[in-house]
Amino acid sequence: GQQVMQIPQYQHVQEGEDFTTYCNSSTTLSNIQWYKQRPGGHPVFLIQLVKSGEVKKQKRLTFQFGEAKKNSSLHITATQTTDVGTYFCAGPETSGSRLTFGEGTQLTVNP
Amino acid sequence: NAGVTQTPKFRILKIGQSMTLQCTQDMNHNYMYWYRQDPGMGLKLIYYSVGAGITDKGEVPNGYNVSRSTTEDFPLRLELAAPSQTSVYFCASSYAGWNTFGSGTRLTVV
């Protein structure tokens, strides 16, 4: 079945440093989604990328979808303590009715 | 709109007991999902539904059952609770592909 892998599993940064998490799928995806889960909270949808090579920005967050539509990345510039949490990528299975989630990257930010 | 509402927020069960986790959404989404998340881990799909009257198994369905009699409600039933079912359970719904999650039920089986 489809697999979605994320690296790194954990990332510790000093406030102000940049952060990047990478997501790779075993199959070509129709889209890739990113979610953020704060400690003790629930996953919250951030963004969906659909087109090959697409780049989208949300303030300090930059999301990319690879040309082959099998990989994606999330880059945070100048991290803040509010960025703490686990970031998940997810891709729809072929049927489109369910998502496969990556294992997530847990980000901690030291003030 | 309340979005996706889950009850209860916390529950402690004894081994062998049964319970139903409630999930309701007011967004008229066709797709609904149940996930479990063990500490420090990712989301594992238990069951999902593409519409009222239709349910299907996910990755980890053993020990659980679901029903979908209405578009709004998607309860998850645990029969004969086991310590391995200690987890946080998230319900989610979807219309255009991305999931909207409820705030979760934290279940401990002792």
Coordinates of all heavy atoms in Angstrom, one line a residue, chain A residues 24-98:
Chain A
N24 N 8.0 12.2 1.8 CA 8.2 11.5 0.6 C 7.1 10.4 0.5 O 6.9 9.6 1.5 CB 9.6 10.8 0.6 CG 10.6 11.8 0.3 OD1 10.8 12.3 -0.8 ND2 11.4 12.2 1.3
S25 N 6.5 10.3 -0.6 CA 5.5 9.3 -0.8 C 6.0 8.2 -1.7 O 6.8 8.4 -2.6 CB 4.2 9.9 -1.5 OG 3.3 8.9 -1.9
S26 N 5.5 7.0 -1.5 CA 5.9 5.8 -2.4 C 5.2 5.9 -3.7 O 5.5 5.1 -4.6 CB 5.6 4.5 -1.6 OG 4.2 4.4 -1.3
T27 N 4.1 6.7 -3.8 CA 3.3 6.8 -5.0 C 3.1 8.2 -5.4 O 3.3 9.1 -4.6 CB 2.0 6.1 -4.9 OG1 1.2 6.8 -3.8 CG2 2.1 4.6 -4.5
T28 N 2.8 8.5 -6.6 CA 2.5 9.8 -7.1 C 1.2 10.3 -6.5 O 0.2 9.5 -6.4 CB 2.4 9.8 -8.6 OG1 3.6 9.4 -9.2 CG2 2.1 11.3 -9.1
L29 N 1.2 11.5 -6.0 CA 0.0 12.0 -5.3 C -0.8 13.0 -6.1 O -0.2 13.8 -6.8 CB 0.4 12.7 -4.0 CG 1.2 11.8 -3.0 CD1 1.8 12.6 -1.8 CD2 0.3 10.7 -2.4
S30 N -2.1 13.0 -5.9 CA -2.9 14.0 -6.6 C -2.8 15.4 -5.9 O -2.9 16.4 -6.5 CB -4.4 13.6 -6.6 OG -4.9 13.4 -5.3
N31 N -2.5 15.3 -4.6 CA -2.2 16.5 -3.8 C -1.5 16.1 -2.5 O -1.4 14.9 -2.2 CB -3.5 17.2 -3.5 CG -4.4 16.5 -2.5 OD1 -4.2 16.4 -1.3 ND2 -5.5 15.9 -3.0
I32 N -0.9 17.1 -1.8 CA -0.3 16.8 -0.6 C -0.9 17.9 0.4 O -1.1 19.0 0.0 CB 1.2 16.9 -0.6 CG1 1.9 16.5 0.7 CG2 1.7 18.3 -1.0 CD1 2.2 15.0 0.7
Q33 N -1.1 17.4 1.6 CA -1.7 18.3 2.6 C -0.7 18.4 3.8 O 0.0 17.4 4.1 CB -3.0 17.8 3.1 CG -4.0 17.6 2.0 CD -5.2 16.8 2.4 OE1 -5.6 16.7 3.5 NE2 -6.0 16.3 1.4
W34 N -0.7 19.5 4.5 CA 0.1 19.7 5.7 C -0.8 20.1 6.9 O -1.8 20.9 6.7 CB 1.1 20.7 5.5 CG 2.3 20.3 4.6 CD1 2.4 20.4 3.3 CD2 3.5 19.6 5.1 NE1 3.6 19.8 2.9 CE2 4.2 19.3 3.9 CE3 3.9 19.1 6.3 CZ2 5.5 18.6 4.0 CZ3 5.1 18.5 6.4 CH2 5.9 18.3 5.3
Y35 N -0.5 19.5 8.0 CA -1.3 19.7 9.3 C -0.3 20.1 10.4 O 0.9 19.6 10.4 CB -2.1 18.5 9.7 CG -3.1 18.1 8.7 CD1 -2.8 17.4 7.5 CD2 -4.5 18.4 9.0 CE1 -3.8 17.0 6.7 CE2 -5.5 18.0 8.1 CZ -5.1 17.3 6.9 OH -6.1 17.0 6.1
K36 N -0.8 20.9 11.4 CA 0.0 21.2 12.5 C -0.8 20.7 13.8 O -2.0 21.0 13.9 CB 0.3 22.7 12.7 CG 1.1 23.0 13.9 CD 1.3 24.5 14.0 CE 2.0 24.9 15.3 NZ 2.2 26.3 15.5
Q37 N -0.1 20.0 14.7 CA -0.7 19.6 15.9 C 0.1 20.2 17.1 O 1.3 19.8 17.3 CB -0.8 18.1 16.0 CG -1.5 17.6 17.3 CD -1.5 16.1 17.3 OE1 -0.7 15.4 16.7 NE2 -2.5 15.5 18.0
R38 N -0.5 21.1 17.8 CA 0.1 21.7 19.0 C 0.1 20.6 20.1 O -0.7 19.7 20.1 CB -0.6 22.9 19.5 CG -0.5 24.1 18.5 CD -1.2 25.3 19.1 NE -1.3 26.4 18.2 CZ -0.4 27.3 18.0 NH1 0.7 27.2 18.7 NH2 -0.5 28.2 17.1
P39 N 1.1 20.7 21.1 CA 1.1 19.7 22.2 C -0.2 19.6 22.9 O -0.8 20.7 23.3 CB 2.2 20.2 23.1 CG 3.1 21.0 22.1 CD 2.2 21.6 21.1
G40 N -0.8 18.4 23.0 CA -2.1 18.2 23.7 C -3.3 18.6 22.8 O -4.4 18.5 23.3
G41 N -3.0 19.0 21.6 CA -4.1 19.4 20.7 C -4.5 18.5 19.6 O -4.0 17.3 19.7
H42 N -5.3 18.9 18.7 CA -5.6 18.1 17.6 C -5.0 18.6 16.3 O -4.6 19.8 16.2 CB -7.2 18.0 17.4 CG -7.8 19.4 17.2 ND1 -8.1 20.2 18.3 CD2 -8.2 20.0 16.1 CE1 -8.6 21.3 17.8 NE2 -8.7 21.2 16.5
P43 N -4.8 17.8 15.3 CA -4.3 18.3 14.0 C -5.2 19.3 13.4 O -6.4 19.2 13.4 CB -4.2 17.0 13.1 CG -4.2 15.8 14.1 CD -5.1 16.3 15.2
V44 N -4.5 20.3 12.9 CA -5.2 21.4 12.2 C -4.7 21.6 10.8 O -3.4 21.6 10.6 CB -5.0 22.8 13.0 CG1 -5.6 23.9 12.2 CG2 -5.6 22.7 14.4
F45 N -5.5 21.6 9.8 CA -5.2 21.7 8.4 C -4.5 23.0 8.2 O -5.0 24.1 8.6 CB -6.4 21.6 7.6 CG -6.2 21.8 6.1 CD1 -5.5 20.9 5.3 CD2 -6.7 23.0 5.5 CE1 -5.4 21.2 3.9 CE2 -6.5 23.3 4.2 CZ -5.8 22.4 3.4
L46 N -3.3 23.0 7.5 CA -2.6 24.2 7.1 C -2.8 24.6 5.7 O -3.1 25.7 5.3 CB -1.1 24.0 7.4 CG -0.6 23.9 8.9 CD1 0.9 23.6 8.9 CD2 -1.0 25.1 9.7
I47 N -2.5 23.6 4.8 CA -2.5 23.9 3.4 C -2.6 22.6 2.5 O -2.3 21.6 3.0 CB -1.2 24.7 3.0 CG1 -1.4 25.6 1.8 CG2 0.0 23.8 2.9 CD1 -0.4 26.7 1.7
Q48 N -3.1 22.8 1.3 CA -3.1 21.7 0.3 C -2.4 22.2 -0.9 O -2.6 23.3 -1.4 CB -4.5 21.3 0.0 CG -4.6 20.3 -1.1 CD -6.0 19.8 -1.3 OE1 -6.6 19.0 -0.6 NE2 -6.7 20.3 -2.4
L49 N -1.4 21.4 -1.5 CA -0.7 21.7 -2.7 C -1.2 20.7 -3.8 O -1.3 19.5 -3.5 CB 0.8 21.6 -2.5 CG 1.4 22.4 -1.4 CD1 2.8 22.1 -1.2 CD2 1.2 23.9 -1.8
V50 N -1.5 21.2 -5.0 CA -2.1 20.3 -6.0 C -1.2 20.2 -7.2 O -1.1 19.1 -7.8 CB -3.4 20.9 -6.4 CG1 -4.1 20.0 -7.5 CG2 -4.4 20.9 -5.2
K51 N -0.5 21.3 -7.6 CA 0.2 21.3 -8.9 C 1.7 20.9 -8.7 O 2.3 21.2 -7.7 CB 0.2 22.7 -9.5 CG -1.2 23.2 -9.8 CD -1.2 24.6 -10.3 CE -2.6 25.2 -10.6 NZ -2.5 26.6 -11.0
S52 N 2.2 20.2 -9.7 CA 3.6 19.8 -9.8 C 4.4 21.1 -9.6 O 4.2 22.1 -10.3 CB 3.9 19.1 -11.1 OG 5.3 19.0 -11.3
G53 N 5.4 21.1 -8.7 CA 6.3 22.2 -8.5 C 5.7 23.4 -7.8 O 6.4 24.4 -7.7
E54 N 4.5 23.2 -7.3 CA 3.8 24.3 -6.6 C 4.6 24.8 -5.3 O 5.1 24.0 -4.6 CB 2.4 23.9 -6.3 CG 1.5 25.1 -5.8 CD 0.1 24.7 -5.7 OE1 -0.2 23.4 -5.8 OE2 -0.8 25.6 -5.6
V55 N 4.6 26.1 -5.1 CA 5.2 26.7 -3.9 C 4.1 27.7 -3.4 O 3.6 28.5 -4.1 CB 6.5 27.5 -4.2 CG1 7.0 28.1 -2.9 CG2 7.5 26.5 -4.8
K56 N 3.8 27.5 -2.1 CA 2.9 28.4 -1.4 C 3.5 28.9 -0.1 O 4.3 28.2 0.5 CB 1.6 27.7 -1.1 CG 0.7 27.5 -2.3 CD -0.7 27.0 -1.9 CE -1.6 26.8 -3.1 NZ -3.0 26.4 -2.7
K57 N 3.2 30.1 0.2 CA 3.7 30.7 1.4 C 2.5 31.2 2.3 O 1.5 31.7 1.9 CB 4.6 31.9 1.1 CG 5.9 31.6 0.4 CD 6.8 32.7 0.3 CE 8.1 32.3 -0.3 NZ 9.2 33.4 -0.2
Q58 N 2.8 31.0 3.6 CA 1.9 31.5 4.6 C 2.8 32.2 5.7 O 3.4 31.5 6.5 CB 1.1 30.4 5.3 CG 0.0 29.7 4.5 CD -0.7 28.6 5.3 OE1 -0.3 28.2 6.3 NE2 -1.8 28.2 4.7
K59 N 2.9 33.5 5.6 CA 3.8 34.2 6.4 C 5.2 33.6 6.4 O 5.9 33.7 5.4 CB 3.2 34.3 7.9 CG 1.9 35.0 7.9 CD 1.3 35.1 9.3 CE 0.0 35.8 9.3 NZ -0.6 35.9 10.7
R60 N 5.7 33.1 7.5 CA 7.0 32.5 7.6 C 7.1 31.1 7.1 O 8.2 30.5 7.1 CB 7.6 32.6 9.0 CG 7.7 34.0 9.5 CD 8.2 34.1 11.0 NE 7.1 33.5 11.9 CZ 7.1 32.3 12.4 NH1 8.1 31.5 12.2 NH2 6.1 31.9 13.2
L61 N 6.0 30.5 6.7 CA 6.0 29.1 6.3 C 6.0 29.0 4.8 O 5.2 29.7 4.1 CB 4.7 28.4 6.8 CG 4.8 27.8 8.3 CD1 5.0 29.0 9.3 CD2 3.5 27.1 8.6
T62 N 6.8 28.2 4.2 CA 6.9 27.9 2.8 C 6.7 26.5 2.5 O 7.4 25.6 3.0 CB 8.2 28.4 2.2 OG1 8.4 29.8 2.5 CG2 8.2 28.2 0.7
F63 N 5.7 26.2 1.6 CA 5.4 24.8 1.3 C 5.7 24.5 -0.2 O 5.4 25.4 -1.0 CB 3.9 24.5 1.5 CG 3.4 24.8 2.9 CD1 3.0 26.1 3.2 CD2 3.3 23.8 3.8 CE1 2.6 26.4 4.5 CE2 2.8 24.1 5.1 CZ 2.5 25.4 5.5
Q64 N 6.4 23.4 -0.4 CA 6.7 23.0 -1.8 C 6.2 21.6 -2.1 O 6.2 20.7 -1.3 CB 8.2 23.1 -2.0 CG 8.8 24.4 -1.9 CD 10.3 24.5 -2.4 OE1 10.8 23.4 -2.8 NE2 10.9 25.6 -2.3
F65 N 5.8 21.5 -3.4 CA 5.3 20.2 -3.9 C 6.3 19.8 -5.0 O 6.5 20.6 -5.9 CB 3.9 20.2 -4.4 CG 3.2 18.9 -4.5 CD1 3.7 17.7 -4.0 CD2 2.0 18.9 -5.2 CE1 3.0 16.5 -4.1 CE2 1.3 17.7 -5.3 CZ 1.8 16.5 -4.8
G66 N 6.9 18.6 -5.0 CA 7.9 18.3 -5.9 C 7.4 18.1 -7.4 O 6.2 18.0 -7.6
E67 N 8.3 18.2 -8.3 CA 7.9 18.1 -9.7 C 7.3 16.8 -10.1 O 6.4 16.7 -10.9 CB 9.2 18.3 -10.6 CG 9.8 19.7 -10.5 CD 9.0 20.8 -11.2 OE1 8.1 20.4 -12.0 OE2 9.2 22.0 -10.8
A68 N 7.7 15.7 -9.4 CA 7.2 14.4 -9.7 C 5.9 14.1 -8.8 O 5.3 13.0 -8.9 CB 8.2 13.3 -9.4
K69 N 5.6 15.1 -8.0 CA 4.4 14.9 -7.1 C 4.5 13.7 -6.2 O 3.5 13.0 -5.9 CB 3.1 14.9 -7.9 CG 2.9 16.2 -8.8 CD 1.5 16.2 -9.5 CE 0.4 16.5 -8.6 NZ -0.9 16.7 -9.3
K70 N 5.7 13.5 -5.7 CA 6.0 12.4 -4.8 C 6.6 12.9 -3.5 O 6.8 12.1 -2.6 CB 6.8 11.3 -5.4 CG 6.2 10.6 -6.6 CD 7.0 9.4 -7.1 CE 7.1 8.3 -6.2 NZ 7.8 7.1 -6.7
N71 N 7.0 14.2 -3.5 CA 7.7 14.7 -2.3 C 7.3 16.1 -2.1 O 6.8 16.8 -3.0 CB 9.2 14.5 -2.4 CG 9.8 15.3 -3.6 OD1 9.6 14.9 -4.7 ND2 10.4 16.4 -3.2
S72 N 7.4 16.5 -0.8 CA 7.0 17.9 -0.4 C 7.9 18.3 0.8 O 8.5 17.5 1.4 CB 5.6 17.9 0.0 OG 5.1 19.2 0.4
S73 N 7.9 19.6 1.0 CA 8.7 20.1 2.1 C 7.9 21.3 2.7 O 7.1 22.0 2.1 CB 10.1 20.5 1.7 OG 10.0 21.6 0.8
L74 N 8.2 21.5 4.0 CA 7.7 22.6 4.8 C 8.9 23.3 5.4 O 9.6 22.7 6.1 CB 6.7 22.2 5.8 CG 6.4 23.1 7.0 CD1 5.9 24.5 6.6 CD2 5.5 22.5 8.0
H75 N 9.1 24.6 5.1 CA 10.2 25.3 5.6 C 9.6 26.5 6.5 O 8.7 27.2 6.0 CB 11.0 25.9 4.5 CG 12.2 26.7 4.9 ND1 13.4 26.2 5.4 CD2 12.3 28.1 5.1 CE1 14.2 27.1 5.7 NE2 13.6 28.3 5.5
I76 N 10.2 26.6 7.7 CA 9.8 27.8 8.5 C 11.0 28.7 8.7 O 12.1 28.2 9.1 CB 9.3 27.3 9.9 CG1 8.1 26.4 9.8 CG2 8.9 28.5 10.8 CD1 7.5 25.8 11.1
T77 N 10.8 29.9 8.4 CA 11.9 30.9 8.5 C 11.8 31.5 9.9 O 10.7 31.9 10.3 CB 11.8 31.9 7.4 OG1 11.8 31.3 6.2 CG2 12.9 33.0 7.5
A78 N 13.0 31.7 10.6 CA 13.1 32.4 11.8 C 12.0 31.9 12.8 O 11.0 32.6 13.1 CB 12.9 33.9 11.6
T79 N 12.2 30.6 13.3 CA 11.2 30.0 14.1 C 10.9 30.8 15.4 O 11.7 31.6 15.9 CB 11.6 28.6 14.6 OG1 12.9 28.7 15.2 CG2 11.7 27.6 13.4
Q80 N 9.6 30.7 15.8 CA 9.2 31.3 17.1 C 8.6 30.2 18.0 O 8.3 29.1 17.5 CB 8.1 32.4 16.8 CG 8.6 33.5 15.9 CD 7.5 34.5 15.5 OE1 6.3 34.3 15.9 NE2 7.9 35.5 14.7
T81 N 8.5 30.6 19.3 CA 8.0 29.6 20.2 C 6.6 29.1 19.8 O 6.2 28.0 20.2 CB 8.0 30.1 21.6 OG1 7.3 31.3 21.7 CG2 9.5 30.3 22.1
T82 N 5.9 29.9 19.1 CA 4.5 29.6 18.7 C 4.5 28.5 17.6 O 3.4 28.0 17.3 CB 3.7 30.8 18.2 OG1 4.6 31.5 17.2 CG2 3.5 31.8 19.3
D83 N 5.7 28.2 17.0 CA 5.8 27.2 16.0 C 5.9 25.8 16.6 O 5.8 24.8 15.8 CB 7.0 27.5 15.1 CG 6.9 28.8 14.3 OD1 5.7 29.1 13.9 OD2 7.9 29.4 14.1
V84 N 6.0 25.7 17.9 CA 6.2 24.4 18.5 C 5.0 23.5 18.2 O 3.8 23.9 18.2 CB 6.3 24.5 20.0 CG1 6.1 23.2 20.8 CG2 7.7 25.1 20.4
G85 N 5.3 22.2 17.9 CA 4.2 21.3 17.6 C 4.8 20.2 16.7 O 6.0 20.1 16.4
T86 N 3.8 19.3 16.3 CA 4.2 18.3 15.3 C 3.5 18.6 14.0 O 2.3 18.9 13.9 CB 3.7 16.9 15.8 OG1 4.3 16.6 17.1 CG2 4.1 15.8 14.8
Y87 N 4.4 18.5 12.9 CA 3.9 18.8 11.6 C 3.7 17.5 10.8 O 4.7 16.7 10.7 CB 4.9 19.8 10.9 CG 4.9 21.1 11.5 CD1 5.7 21.4 12.6 CD2 4.1 22.2 11.0 CE1 5.7 22.6 13.3 CE2 4.1 23.4 11.6 CZ 4.9 23.6 12.8 OH 4.9 24.9 13.4
F88 N 2.6 17.3 10.3 CA 2.3 16.1 9.5 C 2.0 16.4 8.1 O 1.3 17.4 7.8 CB 1.0 15.4 10.0 CG 1.1 14.8 11.4 CD1 0.6 15.5 12.5 CD2 1.6 13.6 11.6 CE1 0.7 15.0 13.8 CE2 1.7 13.0 12.9 CZ 1.2 13.8 14.0
C89 N 2.5 15.6 7.2 CA 2.0 15.7 5.8 C 1.1 14.5 5.6 O 1.1 13.5 6.3 CB 3.2 15.6 4.8 SG 4.2 14.1 4.8
A90 N 0.3 14.6 4.5 CA -0.7 13.6 4.2 C -1.0 13.6 2.8 O -1.2 14.7 2.2 CB -2.0 13.7 5.1
G91 N -1.2 12.4 2.2 CA -1.6 12.3 0.8 C -2.7 11.4 0.6 O -2.9 10.4 1.3
P92 N -3.6 11.7 -0.3 CA -4.8 10.8 -0.5 C -4.4 9.5 -1.2 O -3.5 9.5 -2.1 CB -5.7 11.7 -1.5 CG -4.8 12.6 -2.1 CD -3.6 12.8 -1.2
E93 N -5.1 8.5 -0.8 CA -4.9 7.2 -1.5 C -5.6 7.3 -2.9 O -6.4 8.2 -3.1 CB -5.4 6.1 -0.7 CG -4.7 5.9 0.6 CD -4.8 4.6 1.3 OE1 -5.7 3.8 0.8 OE2 -4.2 4.4 2.3
T94 N -5.3 6.4 -3.7 CA -5.8 6.4 -5.1 C -7.3 6.6 -5.2 O -7.8 7.3 -6.1 CB -5.4 5.1 -5.9 OG1 -4.0 4.9 -5.7 CG2 -5.7 5.2 -7.3
S95 N -8.0 5.9 -4.3 CA -9.5 6.1 -4.3 C -9.9 7.5 -4.0 O -11.0 7.9 -4.3 CB -10.1 5.1 -3.3 OG -9.7 5.5 -2.0
G96 N -9.1 8.2 -3.3 CA -9.4 9.6 -2.9 C -10.2 9.7 -1.6 O -10.5 10.8 -1.1
S97 N -10.6 8.5 -1.1 CA -11.6 8.6 0.0 C -10.9 8.6 1.4 O -11.5 8.8 2.4 CB -12.5 7.4 0.0 OG -11.8 6.2 0.0
R98 N -9.6 8.4 1.4 CA -8.8 8.4 2.7 C -7.4 8.9 2.5 O -6.9 8.9 1.4 CB -8.8 7.0 3.3 CG -8.4 5.9 2.3 CD -8.6 4.5 2.9 NE -7.5 4.1 3.7 CZ -7.3 2.8 4.1 NH1 -8.2 1.9 3.9 NH2 -6.3 2.5 4.9

